[in-house]
Amino acid sequence: FLGLISGATLLFGGLTDEDVREKGRQLREAGRTFSEWKREMLRDDKDRVFERIREVQHEHDVWWTGYKRERSRQHEERQAEWRRGTLERIAKAERNLASNLDRYERAAGALARVRANVAENEAKRASATSAEWRDRFDGWVREGEAQARDIEEQMDRIRRWIEQDRERITELRAKL
């Protein structure tokens, strides 16, 4: 009987979980065999075999406890790394949002200035005394209106980016 479990020293060597599962199967088989034959054995032999089975079972339990502790530590480490990465992505999205909000405010200021210039040029065109000045003011009004359209398109793009940033931040925070 000791031959069945004599090689089961679990605390040493680079055993894998599959190795230890196999050792557990061997240990259970040794226990079953011992139970079948113990009535045929001398008391000293029974005690020695029983004690060895208990020792190996203890080594087996200690190995699994350490294995589970290590797996848990590795899992917690991966979780912490994932959390750090998610927090970094949130911070990046928040910086991007702040940048886009600033960009939007600057574009809104530029649009207000362009519209003010257009209004001023329209007023000057209306009060111009010569056709040459009316044509100049008219050209400046058209340029200003084109510039205002470009800025409005840019602001629309920035608004979409801002919405995407907010959605991304909400999505990432929900994962935490």
Side-chain angles (χ1 to χ4, degrees):
F1 297 107
L2 290 177
L4 286 173
I5 56 175
S6 63
T9 301
L10 303 175
L11 296 179
F12 303 104
L15 296 176
T16 66
D17 59 338
E18 202 47 52
D19 295 335
V20 176
R21 281 189 187 95
E22 179 57 33
K23 295 291 185 187
R25 285 188 281 275
Q26 291 172 3
L27 183 59
R28 282 189 299 282
E29 180 59 33
R32 280 193 288 275
T33 303
F34 174 66
S35 291
E36 289 174 14
W37 288 95
K38 68 183 174 184
R39 287 173 190 52
E40 309 288 328
M41 299 172 71
L42 298 174
R43 181 72 182 165
D44 285 347
D45 291 339
K46 277 196 274 190
D47 291 345
R48 249 187 24 238
V49 170
F50 182 73
E51 186 56 35
R52 183 62 181 144
I53 288 174
R54 281 188 33 202
E55 288 172 9
V56 173
Q57 182 64 54
H58 176 72
E59 289 178 11
H60 189 265
D61 294 345
V62 167
W63 191 93
W64 276 113
T65 299
Y67 175 81
K68 289 174 184 175
R69 188 179 304 122
E70 177 61 18
R71 292 283 300 220
S72 178
R73 185 195 64 74
Q74 289 173 357
H75 176 73
E76 288 171 11
E77 194 175 282
R78 285 190 305 271
Q79 286 295 101
E81 182 61 33
W82 176 85
R83 184 172 173 73
R84 277 191 297 277
T86 301
L87 289 172
E88 288 172 9
R89 287 189 295 280
I90 289 171
K92 181 179 178 184
E94 286 173 339
R95 286 190 304 273
N96 199 45
L97 174 61
S99 173
N100 284 330
L101 288 169
D102 181 56
R103 186 177 290 134
Y104 186 85
E105 289 301 316
R106 285 185 281 125
L111 181 60
R113 287 187 300 278
V114 166
R115 285 184 175 156
N117 283 339
V118 167
E120 182 181 335
N121 285 328
E122 285 173 337
K124 287 180 179 179
R125 180 183 59 194
S127 64
T129 56
S130 73
E132 179 185 340
W133 278 105
R134 274 191 296 277
D135 290 343
R136 274 190 185 177
F137 288 125
D138 198 36
W140 290 338
V141 165
R142 283 192 306 276
E143 286 176 15
E145 289 171 343
Q147 195 175 15
R149 281 190 301 277
D150 290 344
I151 293 171
E152 287 169 343
E153 288 173 9
Q154 179 184 14
M155 289 176 72
D156 286 341
R157 273 193 313 275
I158 295 170
R159 261 193 297 271
R160 285 191 301 274
W161 295 343
I162 288 170
E163 185 57 35
Q164 289 170 353
D165 290 339
R166 287 180 174 149
E167 287 173 5
R168 178 77 173 138
I169 290 167
T170 300
E171 185 181 293
L172 288 169
R173 284 186 178 152
K175 291 181 180 181
L176 290 178

